[in-house]
Amino acid sequence: MILTEELIAFIRDHRNDNLDRLLLSASKYPGIDMGFVVDQIIAREKIREKLPSWGAIERLCFPSRLAAEQCSSERTAAYKRQLVKATDVVCDLTGGLGVDSYFLSREAAKVIYIERFESYCEAARSNFHELGADNIEVWPGNSAELLSRLPKVDCFYIDPARRGEGNKRLFALADCEPDLTSLLPSLWSLAPRVIAKISPMADLRMTLALLPSTVEIHVLSVRNECKELLFVMERGAETGPFAGDPMIECVDFRPDGSASHFAYRLSEESSAAVVYAPSVDTFLYEPNASILKAGAFKRVAVRFGLNPLQVNSHLYAGAHCQENFPGRVFRVDEVLPFSGKLLKTLKRQIPKANISTRNFPLSVNELRSRTGIVDGGDIYLFATTLSDGAKVLIRTSKVLP
């Protein structure tokens, strides 16, 4: 269904209503598809912060609330523009809501959007028109079946569906739809480049073994939460000079609109030599989610001249403040040896704190329960293990960002 002026006005007038009551009052509004209206209101709420430029356009239609939930965020979708060229013809094999197709079309010469659900295609045609994206062609149908009709393109983009029966989340490539590993030989006959969006829960090295033609991996986090893994593949790269050793770009999009970048190769991580900190220094460093997901544990220490506290703690000590560090920086105020006695008395010193645990026998909730420390304030308390095996609580104050 496409939005009419009547529906747009109705959604605007009722967007703050109790939606359960609105559904029950459907009989009061003959001619209004109340289920559709409620889906539009819910979808718009889901994208309000995630996709603000789309949320600001009232005429955009959302084929389902799930489409709004699963679509790329504006920042990650816009980031993908740099992965294609201005002269490229790009084919999005899993169109969905069309967010990635739209942002790719802002850079590429042409985008072919393929989607198996006709309702999604109908919404996409309307939305692309409203957005002024006249260089996108909408092809309804199954992508695997449509390959034989496609012209040669410069790049394929694919985001396999990661939901199974009962809306169960799927992580293995072979379980997703379509199965990228079985589809790749056909894609290589039509394009020299494939960009795949993989589950952020996937293991990088295991996925790389399944996709040996990968030349770049982009690990994208938003507000320190890993959101996307992008595997960029090139035809024939499995026998190239960097086969099995792609460039990994770690990007964290911060709340203030800035982004941190950290790039390295897997071979650099394997060969990096670090010296573990004999004690906690003046500053404590916590890498962002994209660094941790990528596994650049030693490389980040070498790059910034830091000493890991312990092999599995993934916290770092340094004597100086590194302002361009890709993560958070804290000034160390006190190091407290962990003990049962300490937990009983700690609330007197620290009634309120932001608590994190790394390589520690107790969870954050367990520490709060046993100490009575409430959440919040300006104190940051890290519970972790040092290189000599000692368990400690590190009291800090945040410096950056």
Side-chain angles (χ1 to χ4, degrees), residues 122-159:
E122 183 182 11
R125 290 189 192 96
S126 174
N127 292 343
F128 294 151
H129 174 73
E130 292 296 331
L131 291 162
D134 55 4
N135 61 334
I136 305 178
E137 290 183 7
V138 175
W139 288 36
N142 183 291
S143 56
E145 296 172 359
L146 290 174
L147 286 180
S148 61
R149 292 172 45 193
L150 281 174
K152 289 187 180 297
V153 298
D154 299 292
C155 179
F156 282 107
Y157 174 77
I158 184 169
D159 177 9

Short mmCIF file of all heavy atoms in Angstrom, two decimals, residues 122-159:
data_model
loop_
_atom_site.label_atom_id
_atom_site.label_comp_id
_atom_site.label_asym_id
_atom_site.label_seq_id
_atom_site.Cartn_x
_atom_site.Cartn_y
_atom_site.Cartn_z
N GLU A 122 7.16 -2.34 -4.20
CA GLU A 122 6.21 -1.25 -4.38
C GLU A 122 6.60 -0.05 -3.52
O GLU A 122 6.61 1.10 -3.98
CB GLU A 122 4.81 -1.73 -4.02
CG GLU A 122 3.73 -0.69 -4.24
CD GLU A 122 2.35 -1.17 -3.83
OE1 GLU A 122 2.26 -2.23 -3.17
OE2 GLU A 122 1.36 -0.48 -4.16
N ALA A 123 6.95 -0.32 -2.26
CA ALA A 123 7.38 0.76 -1.37
C ALA A 123 8.68 1.39 -1.85
O ALA A 123 8.84 2.61 -1.82
CB ALA A 123 7.53 0.24 0.05
N ALA A 124 9.61 0.54 -2.33
CA ALA A 124 10.90 1.05 -2.79
C ALA A 124 10.75 1.98 -3.98
O ALA A 124 11.39 3.04 -4.05
CB ALA A 124 11.82 -0.12 -3.14
N ARG A 125 9.90 1.60 -4.94
CA ARG A 125 9.68 2.46 -6.12
C ARG A 125 9.19 3.84 -5.68
O ARG A 125 9.67 4.88 -6.16
CB ARG A 125 8.65 1.82 -7.05
CG ARG A 125 9.12 0.58 -7.77
CD ARG A 125 8.11 0.16 -8.82
NE ARG A 125 8.40 -1.17 -9.33
CZ ARG A 125 7.83 -2.28 -8.88
NH1 ARG A 125 6.92 -2.21 -7.92
NH2 ARG A 125 8.16 -3.46 -9.39
N SER A 126 8.22 3.83 -4.79
CA SER A 126 7.67 5.10 -4.31
C SER A 126 8.71 5.90 -3.52
O SER A 126 8.87 7.10 -3.74
CB SER A 126 6.45 4.81 -3.42
OG SER A 126 5.95 6.00 -2.82
N ASN A 127 9.42 5.23 -2.64
CA ASN A 127 10.40 5.92 -1.80
C ASN A 127 11.55 6.48 -2.61
O ASN A 127 12.01 7.61 -2.37
CB ASN A 127 10.93 4.98 -0.72
CG ASN A 127 9.87 4.62 0.31
OD1 ASN A 127 8.85 5.29 0.42
ND2 ASN A 127 10.11 3.56 1.07
N PHE A 128 12.07 5.70 -3.56
CA PHE A 128 13.19 6.19 -4.38
C PHE A 128 12.76 7.42 -5.17
O PHE A 128 13.55 8.36 -5.37
CB PHE A 128 13.69 5.10 -5.31
CG PHE A 128 14.33 3.93 -4.61
CD1 PHE A 128 14.28 2.65 -5.16
CD2 PHE A 128 14.97 4.08 -3.39
CE1 PHE A 128 14.86 1.56 -4.52
CE2 PHE A 128 15.56 3.00 -2.73
CZ PHE A 128 15.50 1.74 -3.30
N HIS A 129 11.51 7.41 -5.63
CA HIS A 129 10.99 8.59 -6.35
C HIS A 129 10.95 9.80 -5.42
O HIS A 129 11.38 10.90 -5.81
CB HIS A 129 9.59 8.28 -6.89
CG HIS A 129 8.92 9.47 -7.53
ND1 HIS A 129 9.30 9.97 -8.75
CD2 HIS A 129 7.90 10.28 -7.07
CE1 HIS A 129 8.55 11.02 -9.05
NE2 HIS A 129 7.71 11.23 -8.05
N GLU A 130 10.43 9.62 -4.20
CA GLU A 130 10.36 10.73 -3.25
C GLU A 130 11.75 11.25 -2.88
O GLU A 130 11.93 12.44 -2.64
CB GLU A 130 9.64 10.28 -1.97
CG GLU A 130 8.16 9.98 -2.14
CD GLU A 130 7.35 11.20 -2.52
OE1 GLU A 130 7.76 12.33 -2.14
OE2 GLU A 130 6.34 11.04 -3.21
N LEU A 131 12.73 10.34 -2.86
CA LEU A 131 14.10 10.71 -2.50
C LEU A 131 14.90 11.26 -3.67
O LEU A 131 16.05 11.67 -3.51
CB LEU A 131 14.82 9.48 -1.92
CG LEU A 131 14.31 8.99 -0.56
CD1 LEU A 131 14.77 7.55 -0.31
CD2 LEU A 131 14.80 9.90 0.56
N GLY A 132 14.33 11.24 -4.86
CA GLY A 132 15.02 11.75 -6.03
C GLY A 132 16.11 10.83 -6.54
O GLY A 132 17.02 11.27 -7.25
N ALA A 133 16.01 9.55 -6.20
CA ALA A 133 17.02 8.57 -6.63
C ALA A 133 16.56 7.92 -7.93
O ALA A 133 16.10 6.77 -7.95
CB ALA A 133 17.24 7.52 -5.54
N ASP A 134 16.68 8.66 -9.01
CA ASP A 134 16.17 8.17 -10.30
C ASP A 134 17.16 7.25 -11.02
O ASP A 134 16.91 6.82 -12.15
CB ASP A 134 15.79 9.34 -11.21
CG ASP A 134 16.94 10.33 -11.41
OD1 ASP A 134 18.06 10.07 -10.90
OD2 ASP A 134 16.73 11.37 -12.07
N ASN A 135 18.28 6.94 -10.37
CA ASN A 135 19.26 6.02 -10.98
C ASN A 135 19.18 4.62 -10.36
O ASN A 135 20.13 3.85 -10.45
CB ASN A 135 20.68 6.58 -10.85
CG ASN A 135 21.11 6.77 -9.41
OD1 ASN A 135 20.28 6.96 -8.52
ND2 ASN A 135 22.41 6.74 -9.17
N ILE A 136 18.04 4.30 -9.73
CA ILE A 136 17.83 2.97 -9.16
C ILE A 136 16.73 2.26 -9.93
O ILE A 136 15.62 2.80 -10.09
CB ILE A 136 17.44 3.03 -7.67
CG1 ILE A 136 18.48 3.82 -6.85
CG2 ILE A 136 17.30 1.61 -7.10
CD1 ILE A 136 18.13 3.95 -5.38
N GLU A 137 17.02 1.05 -10.42
CA GLU A 137 16.01 0.20 -11.05
C GLU A 137 15.54 -0.84 -10.05
O GLU A 137 16.36 -1.45 -9.35
CB GLU A 137 16.60 -0.53 -12.27
CG GLU A 137 16.91 0.36 -13.44
CD GLU A 137 17.40 -0.46 -14.63
OE1 GLU A 137 17.38 -1.71 -14.56
OE2 GLU A 137 17.83 0.15 -15.63
N VAL A 138 14.24 -1.04 -9.94
CA VAL A 138 13.66 -2.02 -9.03
C VAL A 138 13.29 -3.28 -9.79
O VAL A 138 12.50 -3.24 -10.73
CB VAL A 138 12.42 -1.44 -8.31
CG1 VAL A 138 11.75 -2.51 -7.44
CG2 VAL A 138 12.80 -0.22 -7.47
N TRP A 139 13.90 -4.40 -9.40
CA TRP A 139 13.64 -5.70 -10.01
C TRP A 139 12.99 -6.62 -8.97
O TRP A 139 13.66 -7.07 -8.03
CB TRP A 139 14.94 -6.35 -10.49
CG TRP A 139 15.56 -5.74 -11.70
CD1 TRP A 139 15.60 -4.43 -12.05
CD2 TRP A 139 16.28 -6.44 -12.73
NE1 TRP A 139 16.29 -4.25 -13.22
CE2 TRP A 139 16.72 -5.47 -13.67
CE3 TRP A 139 16.60 -7.78 -12.94
CZ2 TRP A 139 17.45 -5.82 -14.79
CZ3 TRP A 139 17.33 -8.12 -14.07
CH2 TRP A 139 17.75 -7.15 -14.99
N PRO A 140 11.71 -6.93 -9.10
CA PRO A 140 11.10 -7.89 -8.17
C PRO A 140 11.49 -9.32 -8.53
O PRO A 140 11.60 -9.67 -9.71
CB PRO A 140 9.60 -7.66 -8.36
CG PRO A 140 9.48 -7.11 -9.74
CD PRO A 140 10.75 -6.36 -10.03
N GLY A 141 11.72 -10.15 -7.51
CA GLY A 141 12.02 -11.55 -7.77
C GLY A 141 13.14 -12.08 -6.90
O GLY A 141 13.75 -11.35 -6.11
N ASN A 142 13.42 -13.36 -7.05
CA ASN A 142 14.49 -14.03 -6.31
C ASN A 142 15.83 -13.71 -6.98
O ASN A 142 15.99 -13.92 -8.18
CB ASN A 142 14.24 -15.54 -6.29
CG ASN A 142 15.26 -16.28 -5.48
OD1 ASN A 142 16.42 -16.39 -5.86
ND2 ASN A 142 14.84 -16.83 -4.35
N SER A 143 16.78 -13.22 -6.21
CA SER A 143 18.05 -12.77 -6.79
C SER A 143 18.79 -13.89 -7.51
O SER A 143 19.35 -13.69 -8.58
CB SER A 143 18.94 -12.16 -5.70
OG SER A 143 19.14 -13.07 -4.63
N ALA A 144 18.80 -15.10 -6.92
CA ALA A 144 19.51 -16.22 -7.56
C ALA A 144 18.90 -16.55 -8.91
O ALA A 144 19.62 -16.89 -9.87
CB ALA A 144 19.48 -17.44 -6.64
N GLU A 145 17.58 -16.44 -9.02
CA GLU A 145 16.91 -16.76 -10.27
C GLU A 145 17.04 -15.65 -11.30
O GLU A 145 16.94 -15.90 -12.51
CB GLU A 145 15.43 -17.04 -9.99
CG GLU A 145 15.20 -18.27 -9.11
CD GLU A 145 13.75 -18.42 -8.68
OE1 GLU A 145 12.93 -17.54 -9.06
OE2 GLU A 145 13.44 -19.40 -7.97
N LEU A 146 17.27 -14.42 -10.85
CA LEU A 146 17.37 -13.29 -11.76
C LEU A 146 18.78 -13.08 -12.31
O LEU A 146 18.97 -12.27 -13.23
CB LEU A 146 16.91 -12.01 -11.06
CG LEU A 146 15.41 -11.89 -10.77
CD1 LEU A 146 15.14 -10.64 -9.94
CD2 LEU A 146 14.61 -11.84 -12.06
N LEU A 147 19.76 -13.79 -11.78
CA LEU A 147 21.15 -13.57 -12.21
C LEU A 147 21.32 -13.78 -13.71
O LEU A 147 22.09 -13.05 -14.36
CB LEU A 147 22.09 -14.51 -11.45
CG LEU A 147 22.36 -14.17 -9.98
CD1 LEU A 147 23.31 -15.19 -9.37
CD2 LEU A 147 22.93 -12.77 -9.84
N SER A 148 20.63 -14.76 -14.27
CA SER A 148 20.79 -15.05 -15.70
C SER A 148 20.29 -13.91 -16.58
O SER A 148 20.66 -13.82 -17.75
CB SER A 148 20.06 -16.35 -16.06
OG SER A 148 18.67 -16.22 -15.80
N ARG A 149 19.45 -13.04 -16.03
CA ARG A 149 18.90 -11.91 -16.80
C ARG A 149 19.69 -10.62 -16.59
O ARG A 149 19.47 -9.64 -17.29
CB ARG A 149 17.45 -11.68 -16.41
CG ARG A 149 16.50 -12.79 -16.83
CD ARG A 149 15.12 -12.60 -16.24
NE ARG A 149 14.65 -11.22 -16.35
CZ ARG A 149 13.60 -10.75 -15.69
NH1 ARG A 149 12.94 -11.54 -14.86
NH2 ARG A 149 13.23 -9.49 -15.85
N LEU A 150 20.57 -10.64 -15.61
CA LEU A 150 21.31 -9.42 -15.29
C LEU A 150 22.39 -9.12 -16.32
O LEU A 150 23.03 -10.02 -16.86
CB LEU A 150 21.98 -9.54 -13.92
CG LEU A 150 21.14 -9.32 -12.67
CD1 LEU A 150 21.96 -9.63 -11.43
CD2 LEU A 150 20.61 -7.89 -12.61
N PRO A 151 22.62 -7.84 -16.59
CA PRO A 151 23.80 -7.47 -17.38
C PRO A 151 25.03 -7.58 -16.50
O PRO A 151 24.94 -7.77 -15.29
CB PRO A 151 23.51 -6.01 -17.74
CG PRO A 151 22.73 -5.49 -16.56
CD PRO A 151 21.86 -6.65 -16.13
N LYS A 152 26.20 -7.47 -17.09
CA LYS A 152 27.41 -7.43 -16.28
C LYS A 152 27.40 -6.15 -15.46
O LYS A 152 27.04 -5.08 -15.96
CB LYS A 152 28.66 -7.51 -17.15
CG LYS A 152 28.89 -8.88 -17.78
CD LYS A 152 30.23 -8.95 -18.48
CE LYS A 152 30.44 -10.30 -19.11
NZ LYS A 152 30.48 -11.40 -18.13
N VAL A 153 27.78 -6.27 -14.19
CA VAL A 153 27.82 -5.11 -13.31
C VAL A 153 29.23 -4.98 -12.73
O VAL A 153 30.06 -5.88 -12.87
CB VAL A 153 26.78 -5.23 -12.18
CG1 VAL A 153 25.37 -5.30 -12.74
CG2 VAL A 153 27.05 -6.45 -11.30
N ASP A 154 29.48 -3.87 -12.08
CA ASP A 154 30.80 -3.63 -11.51
C ASP A 154 30.92 -4.18 -10.10
O ASP A 154 32.02 -4.52 -9.64
CB ASP A 154 31.11 -2.13 -11.50
CG ASP A 154 31.12 -1.55 -12.90
OD1 ASP A 154 32.04 -1.90 -13.67
OD2 ASP A 154 30.21 -0.76 -13.22
N CYS A 155 29.79 -4.26 -9.42
CA CYS A 155 29.84 -4.67 -8.00
C CYS A 155 28.49 -5.21 -7.57
O CYS A 155 27.44 -4.66 -7.92
CB CYS A 155 30.24 -3.47 -7.14
SG CYS A 155 30.33 -3.81 -5.37
N PHE A 156 28.51 -6.30 -6.81
CA PHE A 156 27.32 -6.80 -6.13
C PHE A 156 27.39 -6.42 -4.66
O PHE A 156 28.46 -6.47 -4.04
CB PHE A 156 27.24 -8.33 -6.22
CG PHE A 156 26.75 -8.85 -7.55
CD1 PHE A 156 27.62 -9.46 -8.44
CD2 PHE A 156 25.41 -8.71 -7.91
CE1 PHE A 156 27.17 -9.94 -9.65
CE2 PHE A 156 24.95 -9.20 -9.13
CZ PHE A 156 25.83 -9.81 -10.00
N TYR A 157 26.23 -6.06 -4.11
CA TYR A 157 26.09 -5.86 -2.67
C TYR A 157 25.06 -6.86 -2.17
O TYR A 157 24.00 -7.03 -2.79
CB TYR A 157 25.63 -4.43 -2.34
CG TYR A 157 25.36 -4.24 -0.86
CD1 TYR A 157 26.40 -4.08 0.04
CD2 TYR A 157 24.05 -4.24 -0.37
CE1 TYR A 157 26.16 -3.92 1.40
CE2 TYR A 157 23.80 -4.09 0.98
CZ TYR A 157 24.86 -3.93 1.86
OH TYR A 157 24.61 -3.80 3.20
N ILE A 158 25.37 -7.53 -1.07
CA ILE A 158 24.45 -8.55 -0.56
C ILE A 158 24.43 -8.51 0.97
O ILE A 158 25.47 -8.40 1.62
CB ILE A 158 24.85 -9.95 -1.07
CG1 ILE A 158 23.83 -11.02 -0.60
CG2 ILE A 158 26.27 -10.32 -0.66
CD1 ILE A 158 24.01 -12.36 -1.28
N ASP A 159 23.23 -8.57 1.51
CA ASP A 159 23.02 -8.61 2.96
C ASP A 159 22.07 -9.77 3.23
O ASP A 159 20.86 -9.60 3.34
CB ASP A 159 22.40 -7.29 3.42
CG ASP A 159 22.08 -7.27 4.92
OD1 ASP A 159 22.50 -8.21 5.62
OD2 ASP A 159 21.39 -6.33 5.36
#
